[in-house]
Amino acid sequence: MQTPEEFEVSRRGVIVGGAASVATATFVPAGSAVAAPAPVPPPTAKVTFEVNGTPHALELDTRTSLLDALREHLKLTGTKKGCDHGQCGACTVIADGRRINSCLTLAVMHEGESITTIEGLGTPDKMHAMQDAFVVHDGYQCGYCTPGQICSAVAVLDEIAAGVPSHVTADLTAKPEVTHTELRERMSGNICRCGAYSNIIDAIVDVAGAKA
Amino acid sequence: MKSFTYERVATPAAATAAFARAPGARFIAGGTNLLDLMKLEIETPAHLIDVSRLSLDKIEKTGDGGLRIGAMVRNTDLASDARVRKDYGLLSRALVAGASGQLRNKATTAGNLLQRTRCPYFYDTNQPCNKRRPGSGCAAIGGFNRIHAVVGASEACIATHPSDMAVAMRALDAVVETVDAAGKARAIPLATFYRAPGTTPHLETVLAPGELITAVTLPKPVGGTHIYHKVRDRASYAFALISVGAIVQKDGSGRVALGGVGYQPWRVEAAEAELPRGAKAAADGLLAGAKTTHENAYKLPLVERTLAGVLAEARG
Protein backbone atom coordinates (compact mmCIF):
# COMPACT_ATOMS: atom_id res chain seq x y z
CA MET A 1 0.00 0.00 0.00
CA GLN A 2 1.13 3.52 -0.71
CA THR A 3 2.21 5.60 2.29
CA PRO A 4 1.25 9.28 2.52
CA GLU A 5 4.91 10.21 2.01
CA GLU A 6 5.07 8.26 -1.23
CA PHE A 7 1.90 9.92 -2.39
CA GLU A 8 3.38 13.35 -1.70
CA VAL A 9 6.48 12.50 -3.71
CA SER A 10 4.55 11.18 -6.67
CA ARG A 11 2.07 14.06 -6.64
CA ARG A 12 4.88 16.59 -6.63
CA GLY A 13 6.53 14.70 -9.46
CA VAL A 14 3.37 14.90 -11.52
CA ILE A 15 2.94 18.61 -10.86
CA VAL A 16 6.56 19.41 -11.69
CA GLY A 17 6.49 17.24 -14.81
CA GLY A 18 3.26 18.75 -16.03
CA ALA A 19 4.56 22.27 -15.64
CA ALA A 20 7.62 21.74 -17.79
CA SER A 21 6.47 23.74 -20.75
CA VAL A 22 4.36 26.45 -19.16
CA ALA A 23 4.64 28.67 -16.12
CA THR A 24 4.84 26.71 -12.89
CA ALA A 25 1.43 26.47 -11.30
CA THR A 26 0.81 25.78 -7.65
CA PHE A 27 -2.41 24.10 -6.63
CA VAL A 28 -3.50 24.43 -3.03
CA PRO A 29 -6.81 22.72 -2.31
CA ALA A 30 -9.42 25.08 -0.88
CA GLY A 31 -9.73 24.85 2.88
CA SER A 32 -6.50 22.96 3.42
CA ALA A 33 -5.31 23.71 6.92
CA VAL A 34 -1.55 23.35 6.39
CA ALA A 35 0.11 25.40 3.68
CA ALA A 36 2.24 23.30 1.33
CA PRO A 37 5.95 24.18 1.33
CA ALA A 38 6.81 26.72 -1.31
CA PRO A 39 7.76 24.86 -4.48
CA VAL A 40 11.30 25.28 -5.71
CA PRO A 41 11.10 26.96 -9.09
CA PRO A 42 12.68 24.87 -11.84
CA PRO A 43 16.01 26.06 -13.28
CA THR A 44 15.68 28.44 -16.20
CA ALA A 45 18.03 29.66 -18.90
CA LYS A 46 17.98 32.53 -21.35
CA VAL A 47 17.99 32.05 -25.08
CA THR A 48 17.71 34.34 -28.06
CA PHE A 49 16.85 33.17 -31.54
CA GLU A 50 15.03 34.33 -34.60
CA VAL A 51 11.74 32.77 -35.62
CA ASN A 52 10.50 33.54 -39.13
CA GLY A 53 12.73 36.61 -39.20
CA THR A 54 11.60 37.99 -35.84
CA PRO A 55 14.14 38.03 -32.99
CA HIS A 56 13.00 36.64 -29.64
CA ALA A 57 14.63 36.68 -26.20
CA LEU A 58 13.16 34.12 -23.84
CA GLU A 59 13.86 32.85 -20.37
CA LEU A 60 12.68 29.27 -20.23
CA ASP A 61 12.48 26.29 -17.94
CA THR A 62 15.51 24.39 -19.26
CA ARG A 63 13.24 21.42 -20.07
CA THR A 64 11.28 23.35 -22.66
CA SER A 65 11.53 21.75 -26.09
CA LEU A 66 11.87 23.97 -29.13
CA LEU A 67 8.37 22.78 -30.05
CA ASP A 68 6.88 23.98 -26.74
CA ALA A 69 8.79 27.26 -26.98
CA LEU A 70 7.22 27.88 -30.38
CA ARG A 71 3.72 26.81 -29.42
CA GLU A 72 3.31 27.74 -25.77
CA HIS A 73 5.56 30.78 -25.49
CA LEU A 74 5.50 32.33 -28.97
CA LYS A 75 1.97 31.11 -29.76
CA LEU A 76 3.08 29.82 -33.14
CA THR A 77 0.71 26.88 -33.16
CA GLY A 78 1.21 25.96 -36.80
CA THR A 79 3.92 23.51 -35.71
CA LYS A 80 2.10 20.49 -34.31
CA LYS A 81 2.79 18.15 -31.43
CA GLY A 82 2.10 14.61 -32.54
CA CYS A 83 4.02 11.91 -30.69
CA ASP A 84 6.48 14.24 -28.88
CA HIS A 85 9.11 11.49 -29.31
CA GLY A 86 10.57 12.13 -32.77
CA GLN A 87 8.59 9.36 -34.39
CA CYS A 88 5.91 11.18 -36.39
CA GLY A 89 7.48 14.35 -37.83
CA ALA A 90 4.46 16.60 -37.15
CA CYS A 91 6.78 18.99 -35.28
CA THR A 92 9.27 19.40 -38.15
CA VAL A 93 10.74 22.90 -38.43
CA ILE A 94 13.76 24.25 -40.26
CA ALA A 95 16.62 25.40 -37.99
CA ASP A 96 19.54 27.15 -39.70
CA GLY A 97 18.41 25.63 -42.99
CA ARG A 98 17.99 22.04 -41.72
CA ARG A 99 14.78 20.19 -40.98
CA ILE A 100 14.66 18.83 -37.46
CA ASN A 101 12.15 17.37 -35.02
CA SER A 102 11.46 20.35 -32.76
CA CYS A 103 10.13 18.01 -30.03
CA LEU A 104 13.50 16.32 -29.58
CA THR A 105 15.60 19.39 -29.01
CA LEU A 106 15.85 21.86 -26.14
CA ALA A 107 14.93 25.43 -26.94
CA VAL A 108 17.92 26.73 -24.95
CA MET A 109 20.28 24.86 -27.27
CA HIS A 110 19.22 27.02 -30.24
CA GLU A 111 21.01 30.20 -29.18
CA GLY A 112 21.54 32.53 -32.12
CA GLU A 113 19.81 30.26 -34.62
CA SER A 114 17.29 31.13 -37.27
CA ILE A 115 14.15 28.99 -37.12
CA THR A 116 11.57 28.74 -39.88
CA THR A 117 8.12 27.34 -39.11
CA ILE A 118 5.14 26.84 -41.37
CA GLU A 119 4.04 30.41 -40.50
CA GLY A 120 7.33 31.66 -41.94
CA LEU A 121 7.12 29.79 -45.22
CA GLY A 122 4.01 31.52 -46.44
CA THR A 123 0.79 33.24 -45.42
CA PRO A 124 -2.82 32.52 -46.43
CA ASP A 125 -2.55 35.43 -48.89
CA LYS A 126 0.87 34.57 -50.19
CA MET A 127 1.48 30.89 -49.89
CA HIS A 128 4.81 29.14 -50.42
CA ALA A 129 4.94 27.09 -53.63
CA MET A 130 4.92 23.91 -51.54
CA GLN A 131 1.77 25.03 -49.72
CA ASP A 132 0.12 25.81 -53.05
CA ALA A 133 1.08 22.40 -54.40
CA PHE A 134 -0.32 20.60 -51.34
CA VAL A 135 -3.65 22.37 -51.96
CA VAL A 136 -3.63 21.62 -55.68
CA HIS A 137 -2.75 17.94 -55.16
CA ASP A 138 -4.93 17.44 -52.08
CA GLY A 139 -1.86 16.45 -50.06
CA TYR A 140 -3.73 16.08 -46.77
CA GLN A 141 -6.99 15.06 -45.25
CA CYS A 142 -7.22 16.09 -41.58
CA GLY A 143 -4.24 18.43 -41.97
CA TYR A 144 -2.57 17.74 -38.64
CA CYS A 145 0.68 16.44 -40.12
CA THR A 146 0.64 18.98 -42.96
CA PRO A 147 2.83 21.76 -41.49
CA GLY A 148 5.50 19.18 -40.69
CA GLN A 149 5.10 17.57 -44.10
CA ILE A 150 5.50 20.91 -45.86
CA CYS A 151 8.53 22.04 -43.81
CA SER A 152 10.10 18.65 -44.39
CA ALA A 153 9.34 18.71 -48.12
CA VAL A 154 10.88 22.15 -48.60
CA ALA A 155 14.05 20.99 -46.83
CA VAL A 156 14.13 17.69 -48.74
CA LEU A 157 14.42 19.50 -52.06
CA ASP A 158 17.30 21.53 -50.64
CA GLU A 159 18.97 18.35 -49.40
CA ILE A 160 18.70 16.73 -52.83
CA ALA A 161 20.10 19.87 -54.45
CA ALA A 162 22.99 19.81 -51.95
CA GLY A 163 23.81 16.22 -52.91
CA VAL A 164 22.78 14.52 -49.66
CA PRO A 165 22.41 10.80 -50.49
CA SER A 166 19.51 8.63 -49.35
CA HIS A 167 18.95 4.94 -48.71
CA VAL A 168 17.62 4.51 -52.26
CA THR A 169 20.28 6.52 -54.07
CA ALA A 170 21.76 3.96 -56.49
CA ASP A 171 25.14 5.60 -57.04
CA LEU A 172 26.62 7.27 -53.96
CA THR A 173 29.05 9.30 -56.03
CA ALA A 174 26.41 10.69 -58.43
CA LYS A 175 24.12 13.63 -57.79
CA PRO A 176 20.80 12.38 -56.35
CA GLU A 177 17.69 12.98 -58.44
CA VAL A 178 14.16 14.03 -57.63
CA THR A 179 12.20 10.83 -58.18
CA HIS A 180 9.12 9.37 -56.53
CA THR A 181 11.30 6.65 -54.98
CA GLU A 182 13.75 9.19 -53.56
CA LEU A 183 10.98 11.37 -52.15
CA ARG A 184 9.14 8.47 -50.54
CA GLU A 185 12.33 7.43 -48.76
CA ARG A 186 13.33 10.96 -47.77
CA MET A 187 9.87 11.79 -46.42
CA SER A 188 9.65 8.64 -44.27
CA GLY A 189 10.12 10.65 -41.08
CA ASN A 190 6.74 12.30 -41.61
CA ILE A 191 3.79 10.07 -40.83
CA CYS A 192 0.33 10.82 -42.26
CA ARG A 193 -2.39 8.90 -40.49
CA CYS A 194 -4.93 9.79 -43.17
CA GLY A 195 -2.66 8.20 -45.76
CA ALA A 196 -2.29 11.14 -48.13
CA TYR A 197 1.19 9.97 -49.08
CA SER A 198 0.65 9.62 -52.83
CA ASN A 199 -0.72 13.13 -53.14
CA ILE A 200 2.03 14.52 -50.92
CA ILE A 201 4.66 13.04 -53.22
CA ASP A 202 2.84 14.41 -56.27
CA ALA A 203 2.87 17.87 -54.70
CA ILE A 204 6.61 17.73 -54.01
CA VAL A 205 7.38 16.45 -57.52
CA ASP A 206 5.31 19.33 -58.88
CA VAL A 207 7.33 21.91 -56.96
CA ALA A 208 10.63 20.23 -57.87
CA GLY A 209 9.63 20.26 -61.54
CA ALA A 210 8.75 23.93 -61.42
CA LYS A 211 12.11 24.66 -59.82
CA ALA A 212 14.13 22.64 -62.31
CA MET B 1 10.93 15.19 -17.26
CA LYS B 2 12.99 15.91 -14.15
CA SER B 3 14.30 19.45 -13.98
CA PHE B 4 17.98 20.07 -14.66
CA THR B 5 20.47 22.87 -14.85
CA TYR B 6 22.13 23.60 -18.17
CA GLU B 7 25.43 24.97 -19.36
CA ARG B 8 27.03 25.31 -22.78
CA VAL B 9 30.76 24.70 -23.12
CA ALA B 10 33.17 25.75 -25.86
CA THR B 11 36.08 23.32 -25.50
CA PRO B 12 36.51 19.61 -24.65
CA ALA B 13 38.55 20.65 -21.58
CA ALA B 14 35.68 22.84 -20.39
CA ALA B 15 33.27 19.93 -20.98
CA THR B 16 35.20 17.45 -18.87
CA ALA B 17 35.86 20.11 -16.20
CA ALA B 18 32.12 20.80 -16.05
CA PHE B 19 31.50 17.11 -15.52
CA ALA B 20 34.05 17.02 -12.69
CA ARG B 21 32.04 19.78 -10.98
CA ALA B 22 28.76 17.97 -11.52
CA PRO B 23 29.20 14.20 -11.40
CA GLY B 24 26.13 12.50 -12.79
CA ALA B 25 25.73 15.18 -15.43
CA ARG B 26 25.18 14.16 -19.03
CA PHE B 27 26.79 15.55 -22.14
CA ILE B 28 24.18 16.50 -24.73
CA ALA B 29 24.84 17.05 -28.43
CA GLY B 30 22.10 16.12 -30.91
CA GLY B 31 19.87 15.07 -28.04
CA THR B 32 17.63 12.91 -30.22
CA ASN B 33 18.00 9.87 -27.96
CA LEU B 34 18.87 11.45 -24.61
CA LEU B 35 15.90 13.85 -24.56
CA ASP B 36 13.53 11.08 -25.52
CA LEU B 37 14.84 9.03 -22.57
CA MET B 38 14.63 12.07 -20.27
CA LYS B 39 10.98 12.59 -21.18
CA LEU B 40 10.31 9.04 -20.06
CA GLU B 41 12.50 9.58 -16.96
CA ILE B 42 14.70 6.67 -17.96
CA GLU B 43 17.53 9.18 -17.92
CA THR B 44 17.29 11.74 -15.09
CA PRO B 45 20.42 13.92 -15.15
CA ALA B 46 20.40 16.88 -12.77
CA HIS B 47 22.75 18.80 -15.06
CA LEU B 48 23.24 18.91 -18.83
CA ILE B 49 26.50 19.95 -20.45
CA ASP B 50 25.82 21.12 -23.99
CA VAL B 51 28.76 19.99 -26.13
CA SER B 52 27.01 20.59 -29.45
CA ARG B 53 29.05 23.74 -30.20
CA LEU B 54 32.47 22.16 -29.66
CA SER B 55 34.60 22.60 -32.75
CA LEU B 56 34.70 18.83 -33.23
CA ASP B 57 32.55 19.08 -36.35
CA LYS B 58 35.19 18.51 -39.02
CA ILE B 59 36.18 15.54 -41.15
CA GLU B 60 39.93 15.60 -41.77
CA LYS B 61 42.53 13.41 -43.40
CA THR B 62 44.85 11.65 -40.99
CA GLY B 63 48.61 11.27 -41.48
CA ASP B 64 48.27 7.64 -42.57
CA GLY B 65 45.70 8.35 -45.29
CA GLY B 66 42.63 7.69 -43.17
CA LEU B 67 39.90 10.00 -41.88
CA ARG B 68 39.32 11.63 -38.54
CA ILE B 69 35.61 12.28 -38.00
CA GLY B 70 34.87 14.85 -35.31
CA ALA B 71 32.51 13.69 -32.57
CA MET B 72 30.02 16.44 -33.42
CA VAL B 73 29.81 15.72 -37.16
CA ARG B 74 26.13 15.26 -37.92
CA ASN B 75 25.01 11.97 -39.43
CA THR B 76 23.76 13.77 -42.57
CA ASP B 77 27.10 15.51 -43.05
CA LEU B 78 29.07 12.32 -42.56
CA ALA B 79 26.92 10.40 -45.04
CA SER B 80 27.25 13.25 -47.56
CA ASP B 81 30.99 13.82 -47.30
CA ALA B 82 32.57 13.24 -50.73
CA ARG B 83 35.48 11.20 -49.30
CA VAL B 84 33.13 9.02 -47.27
CA ARG B 85 30.86 8.41 -50.27
CA LYS B 86 33.82 7.49 -52.47
CA ASP B 87 36.14 5.54 -50.14
CA TYR B 88 33.95 4.46 -47.20
CA GLY B 89 30.67 3.80 -49.01
CA LEU B 90 29.65 1.26 -46.37
CA LEU B 91 29.56 4.03 -43.78
CA SER B 92 27.50 6.32 -45.95
CA ARG B 93 25.08 3.47 -46.76
CA ALA B 94 24.69 2.49 -43.11
CA LEU B 95 24.03 6.08 -42.04
CA VAL B 96 21.27 6.71 -44.56
CA ALA B 97 19.68 3.36 -43.66
CA GLY B 98 19.14 4.67 -40.13
CA ALA B 99 16.53 6.95 -38.59
CA SER B 100 14.88 9.74 -40.61
CA GLY B 101 16.19 12.80 -42.42
CA GLN B 102 15.19 15.03 -39.51
CA LEU B 103 17.00 12.86 -36.97
CA ARG B 104 20.12 12.47 -39.10
CA ASN B 105 20.33 16.27 -39.34
CA LYS B 106 20.67 16.46 -35.54
CA ALA B 107 22.30 13.19 -34.49
CA THR B 108 26.07 13.24 -34.06
CA THR B 109 28.79 10.69 -34.66
CA ALA B 110 29.55 10.24 -30.95
CA GLY B 111 25.90 10.25 -29.97
CA ASN B 112 25.10 7.59 -32.54
CA LEU B 113 27.68 5.28 -30.95
CA LEU B 114 26.28 5.96 -27.47
CA GLN B 115 22.57 5.66 -28.28
CA ARG B 116 20.78 3.17 -26.12
CA THR B 117 18.86 0.03 -26.94
CA ARG B 118 15.31 0.17 -28.30
CA CYS B 119 14.28 -2.90 -26.28
CA PRO B 120 10.62 -2.15 -25.46
CA TYR B 121 11.09 -3.31 -21.88
CA PHE B 122 13.94 -0.84 -21.40
CA TYR B 123 11.50 1.88 -22.48
CA ASP B 124 8.57 0.66 -20.35
CA THR B 125 9.29 1.92 -16.85
CA ASN B 126 6.58 -0.35 -15.43
CA GLN B 127 8.57 -3.43 -16.43
CA PRO B 128 11.68 -4.91 -14.86
CA CYS B 129 14.87 -4.19 -16.80
CA ASN B 130 18.40 -4.83 -15.56
CA LYS B 131 19.75 -2.19 -17.90
CA ARG B 132 17.40 0.53 -16.65
CA ARG B 133 17.18 -0.62 -13.02
CA PRO B 134 20.06 -2.99 -12.16
CA GLY B 135 18.87 -6.06 -10.32
CA SER B 136 15.20 -5.71 -11.27
CA GLY B 137 15.22 -8.57 -13.79
CA CYS B 138 14.68 -8.87 -17.53
CA ALA B 139 11.16 -8.81 -18.92
CA ALA B 140 12.42 -9.45 -22.45
CA ILE B 141 13.57 -12.97 -21.58
CA GLY B 142 10.30 -14.84 -21.84
CA GLY B 143 8.52 -11.75 -23.15
CA PHE B 144 8.08 -10.45 -26.68
CA ASN B 145 11.62 -10.75 -27.96
CA ARG B 146 11.63 -11.24 -31.71
CA ILE B 147 13.90 -8.19 -32.10
CA HIS B 148 16.39 -9.26 -29.43
CA ALA B 149 19.95 -10.56 -29.42
CA VAL B 150 21.06 -13.98 -30.59
CA VAL B 151 24.77 -13.61 -29.77
CA GLY B 152 26.64 -12.17 -26.80
CA ALA B 153 23.56 -11.92 -24.58
CA SER B 154 23.40 -12.96 -20.94
CA GLU B 155 20.89 -14.20 -18.37
CA ALA B 156 20.53 -10.56 -17.34
CA CYS B 157 19.97 -8.86 -20.71
CA ILE B 158 19.22 -9.77 -24.32
CA ALA B 159 19.07 -6.22 -25.72
CA THR B 160 20.68 -5.27 -29.03
CA HIS B 161 22.61 -2.16 -29.97
CA PRO B 162 20.44 -0.24 -32.43
CA SER B 163 23.05 1.64 -34.48
CA ASP B 164 23.54 1.10 -38.20
CA MET B 165 26.50 3.49 -38.33
CA ALA B 166 28.41 1.47 -35.74
CA VAL B 167 28.09 -1.68 -37.88
CA ALA B 168 29.87 0.04 -40.75
CA MET B 169 32.48 1.53 -38.43
CA ARG B 170 33.21 -1.89 -36.94
CA ALA B 171 33.81 -3.33 -40.39
CA LEU B 172 36.02 -0.34 -41.20
CA ASP B 173 38.22 -0.87 -38.09
CA ALA B 174 37.19 2.43 -36.54
CA VAL B 175 38.93 3.76 -33.44
CA VAL B 176 37.17 5.98 -30.88
CA GLU B 177 39.24 8.88 -29.55
CA THR B 178 38.40 10.30 -26.12
CA VAL B 179 39.63 12.70 -23.48
CA ASP B 180 39.02 12.32 -19.75
CA ALA B 181 38.61 14.83 -16.94
CA ALA B 182 42.36 14.89 -16.32
CA GLY B 183 42.89 15.86 -19.95
CA LYS B 184 44.30 12.44 -20.82
CA ALA B 185 43.51 11.28 -24.35
CA ARG B 186 43.12 7.67 -25.36
CA ALA B 187 42.20 5.70 -28.48
CA ILE B 188 39.80 2.77 -28.13
CA PRO B 189 39.23 0.39 -31.06
CA LEU B 190 35.48 0.08 -31.65
CA ALA B 191 36.09 -3.68 -31.34
CA THR B 192 36.66 -3.21 -27.60
CA PHE B 193 34.45 -0.16 -27.02
CA TYR B 194 31.22 -1.91 -25.97
CA ARG B 195 30.92 -4.09 -22.89
CA ALA B 196 29.18 -7.45 -22.98
CA PRO B 197 26.06 -7.34 -20.77
CA GLY B 198 27.11 -10.12 -18.38
CA THR B 199 25.63 -9.35 -14.99
CA THR B 200 25.98 -5.57 -15.49
CA PRO B 201 24.01 -4.64 -18.61
CA HIS B 202 23.66 -1.04 -17.42
CA LEU B 203 27.38 -0.58 -18.16
CA GLU B 204 27.42 -0.38 -21.95
CA THR B 205 30.83 0.97 -22.93
CA VAL B 206 34.36 1.10 -21.53
CA LEU B 207 34.15 4.91 -21.19
CA ALA B 208 34.83 6.24 -17.69
CA PRO B 209 32.31 8.68 -16.19
CA GLY B 210 32.93 12.08 -17.73
CA GLU B 211 35.14 10.74 -20.51
CA LEU B 212 34.26 12.58 -23.72
CA ILE B 213 34.42 11.20 -27.25
CA THR B 214 36.29 13.69 -29.42
CA ALA B 215 36.55 11.82 -32.73
CA VAL B 216 36.31 8.53 -34.56
CA THR B 217 39.17 7.65 -36.90
CA LEU B 218 39.09 5.31 -39.87
CA PRO B 219 42.23 3.73 -41.32
CA LYS B 220 43.08 4.34 -44.97
CA PRO B 221 40.50 3.03 -47.46
CA VAL B 222 40.57 -0.70 -48.22
CA GLY B 223 38.78 -0.59 -51.58
CA GLY B 224 36.36 -3.37 -52.49
CA THR B 225 32.61 -3.34 -52.96
CA HIS B 226 30.72 -1.80 -50.05
CA ILE B 227 27.22 -3.09 -49.30
CA TYR B 228 24.91 -2.48 -46.34
CA HIS B 229 21.78 -4.57 -46.36
CA LYS B 230 19.28 -3.85 -43.61
CA VAL B 231 16.25 -6.06 -43.02
CA ARG B 232 13.42 -4.38 -41.14
CA ASP B 233 9.66 -4.46 -40.64
CA ARG B 234 9.13 -1.32 -42.77
CA ALA B 235 10.96 -0.23 -45.92
CA SER B 236 12.20 2.93 -44.21
CA TYR B 237 12.53 4.52 -40.78
CA ALA B 238 12.69 1.37 -38.67
CA PHE B 239 15.39 -0.33 -36.66
CA ALA B 240 17.12 -3.38 -38.07
CA LEU B 241 15.86 -6.87 -37.36
CA ILE B 242 19.25 -7.81 -38.70
CA SER B 243 21.68 -6.00 -40.96
CA VAL B 244 24.76 -7.07 -42.90
CA GLY B 245 27.55 -4.63 -43.62
CA ALA B 246 30.19 -6.03 -45.94
CA ILE B 247 33.26 -5.03 -47.89
CA VAL B 248 34.02 -7.66 -50.53
CA GLN B 249 37.17 -7.76 -52.64
CA LYS B 250 37.43 -9.09 -56.19
CA ASP B 251 39.09 -12.31 -54.99
CA GLY B 252 36.09 -13.06 -52.74
CA SER B 253 37.83 -12.14 -49.50
CA GLY B 254 36.33 -9.45 -47.35
CA ARG B 255 34.90 -8.24 -44.07
CA VAL B 256 31.44 -8.57 -42.55
CA ALA B 257 29.79 -7.00 -39.53
CA LEU B 258 26.23 -7.63 -38.40
CA GLY B 259 23.67 -5.33 -36.81
CA GLY B 260 20.60 -6.29 -34.80
CA VAL B 261 22.07 -9.50 -33.42
CA GLY B 262 23.92 -8.46 -30.27
CA TYR B 263 24.87 -5.80 -27.73
CA GLN B 264 27.43 -4.43 -30.18
CA PRO B 265 28.01 -4.52 -33.94
CA TRP B 266 28.97 -8.13 -34.44
CA ARG B 267 32.14 -9.01 -36.28
CA VAL B 268 34.16 -12.21 -36.04
CA GLU B 269 37.42 -11.76 -37.95
CA ALA B 270 38.13 -15.51 -37.99
CA ALA B 271 34.82 -16.16 -39.77
CA GLU B 272 35.79 -13.79 -42.58
CA ALA B 273 38.35 -16.31 -43.83
CA GLU B 274 35.33 -18.43 -44.81
CA LEU B 275 33.79 -15.74 -47.04
CA PRO B 276 35.26 -17.13 -50.29
CA ARG B 277 33.52 -20.44 -49.43
CA GLY B 278 30.16 -18.72 -49.28
CA ALA B 279 27.54 -17.35 -46.94
CA LYS B 280 26.80 -20.52 -44.99
CA ALA B 281 30.39 -21.09 -43.91
CA ALA B 282 30.86 -17.44 -42.97
CA ALA B 283 27.50 -17.15 -41.17
CA ASP B 284 28.21 -20.31 -39.18
CA GLY B 285 31.40 -18.71 -37.92
CA LEU B 286 29.79 -15.32 -37.28
CA LEU B 287 26.95 -16.83 -35.29
CA ALA B 288 28.88 -19.56 -33.49
CA GLY B 289 27.45 -20.05 -30.02
CA ALA B 290 24.21 -18.26 -30.92
CA LYS B 291 21.40 -18.67 -28.41
CA THR B 292 17.92 -17.90 -29.64
CA THR B 293 14.66 -17.27 -27.82
CA HIS B 294 11.21 -18.67 -28.61
CA GLU B 295 10.67 -15.73 -30.97
CA ASN B 296 13.96 -14.81 -32.63
CA ALA B 297 15.41 -18.03 -34.05
CA TYR B 298 14.49 -16.66 -37.48
CA LYS B 299 17.48 -14.31 -37.22
CA LEU B 300 19.99 -17.12 -37.85
CA PRO B 301 18.76 -18.14 -41.32
CA LEU B 302 17.96 -14.49 -42.05
CA VAL B 303 21.59 -13.52 -41.47
CA GLU B 304 22.84 -16.35 -43.69
CA ARG B 305 20.42 -15.57 -46.53
CA THR B 306 21.01 -11.82 -46.33
CA LEU B 307 24.75 -12.44 -46.42
CA ALA B 308 24.25 -14.72 -49.44
CA GLY B 309 22.39 -11.90 -51.17
CA VAL B 310 25.13 -9.44 -50.30
CA LEU B 311 27.86 -11.73 -51.64
CA ALA B 312 25.90 -12.32 -54.85
CA GLU B 313 25.45 -8.57 -55.29
CA ALA B 314 29.17 -8.04 -54.73
CA ARG B 315 30.02 -10.57 -57.44
CA GLY B 316 27.84 -8.48 -59.77
Side-chain angles (χ1 to χ4, degrees), chain B residues 111-127:
Chain B
N112 190 313
L113 290 177
L114 295 177
Q115 66 176 304
R116 308 200 66 192
T117 187
R118 276 11 181 243
C119 171
Y121 300 101
F122 174 70
Y123 269 79
D124 183 347
T125 51
N126 298 307
Q127 298 275 359

Side-chain angles (χ1 to χ4, degrees), chain A residues 17 42-43 62-63 84-87 89 92 98-101 103-106 108-111 113 152 159 163-167 169-174 185 188-190, chain B residues 1-6 8 28-32 35-36 39-40 48 50 52-53 74 76-77 79-80 85-86 89 92-93 96-97 100-103 105-106 232 236-237:
Chain A
T62 51
R63 292 170 291 183
D84 209 26
H85 286 281
Q87 295 167 2
T92 303
R98 294 176 162 230
R99 58 178 171 145
I100 61 168
N101 298 114
C103 74
L104 277 191
T105 187
L106 296 172
V108 294
M109 291 180 74
H110 290 270
E111 177 63 36
E113 289 188 13
S152 200
E159 286 170 12
V164 174
S166 88
H167 177 59
T169 307
D171 180 357
L172 277 181
T173 58
E185 163 59 25
S188 70
N190 291 85
Chain B
M1 197 188 299
K2 301 278 191 211
S3 60
F4 55 84
T5 49
Y6 166 87
R8 188 182 304 123
I28 186 166
T32 52
L35 283 173
D36 193 24
K39 287 182 183 195
L40 298 163
L48 282 186
D50 179 354
S52 66
R53 311 264 172 136
R74 306 288 161 170
T76 298
D77 296 326
S80 307
R85 283 188 284 152
K86 177 172 162 286
S92 198
R93 287 285 181 210
V96 295
S100 68
Q102 289 95 317
L103 292 167
N105 278 344
K106 264 271 156 221
R232 42 186 160 175
S236 184
Y237 198 19

Side-chain angles (χ1 to χ4, degrees), chain B residues 41 66 73 176 183 253:
Chain B
E41 298 192 357
V73 172
V176 181
S253 67

Side-chain angles (χ1 to χ4, degrees), chain A residues 4 54-55 62 64 70 93 105 124 163 170-171 211:
Chain A
T54 306
T62 51
T64 311
L70 293 168
V93 300
T105 187
D171 180 357
K211 260 185 154 181

Side-chain angles (χ1 to χ4, degrees), chain B residues 90 113 164-174 189-192 194 218 255-258 264-269 272:
Chain B
L90 179 59
L113 290 177
D164 293 296
M165 182 194 80
V167 175
M169 286 185 165
R170 180 70 182 85
L172 290 163
D173 286 331
L190 193 60
T192 59
Y194 295 105
L218 302 178
R255 306 169 174 198
V256 182
L258 306 176
Q264 65 173 352
W266 202 257
R267 182 176 174 198
V268 178
E269 275 84 344
E272 291 170 1

Side-chain angles (χ1 to χ4, degrees), chain A residues 113-199:
Chain A
E113 289 188 13
S114 176
I115 317 289
T116 302
T117 69
I118 190 71
E119 292 94 340
L121 283 179
T123 64
D125 298 328
K126 197 179 174 204
M127 291 204 289
H128 186 279
M130 193 65 76
Q131 292 171 312
D132 264 331
F134 268 64
V135 173
V136 169
H137 291 277
D138 207 10
Y140 47 80
Q141 195 177 118
C142 82
Y144 197 79
C145 72
T146 311
Q149 297 277 2
I150 290 176
C151 285
S152 200
V154 168
V156 158
L157 294 184
D158 289 344
E159 286 170 12
I160 293 175
V164 174
S166 88
H167 177 59
V168 298
T169 307
D171 180 357
L172 277 181
T173 58
K175 216 171 144 34
E177 291 171 352
V178 181
T179 63
H180 277 71
T181 312
E182 281 282 0
L183 293 172
R184 289 170 75 91
E185 163 59 25
R186 289 170 191 268
M187 291 295 291
S188 70
N190 291 85
I191 310 298
C192 170
R193 211 197 144 179
C194 303
Y197 296 111
S198 298
N199 294 356

Side-chain angles (χ1 to χ4, degrees), chain A residues 16 19 23-26 37-44 61-63, chain B residues 3-5:
Chain A
V16 169
T24 307
T26 315
V40 180
T44 61
D61 181 327
T62 51
R63 292 170 291 183
Chain B
S3 60
F4 55 84
T5 49

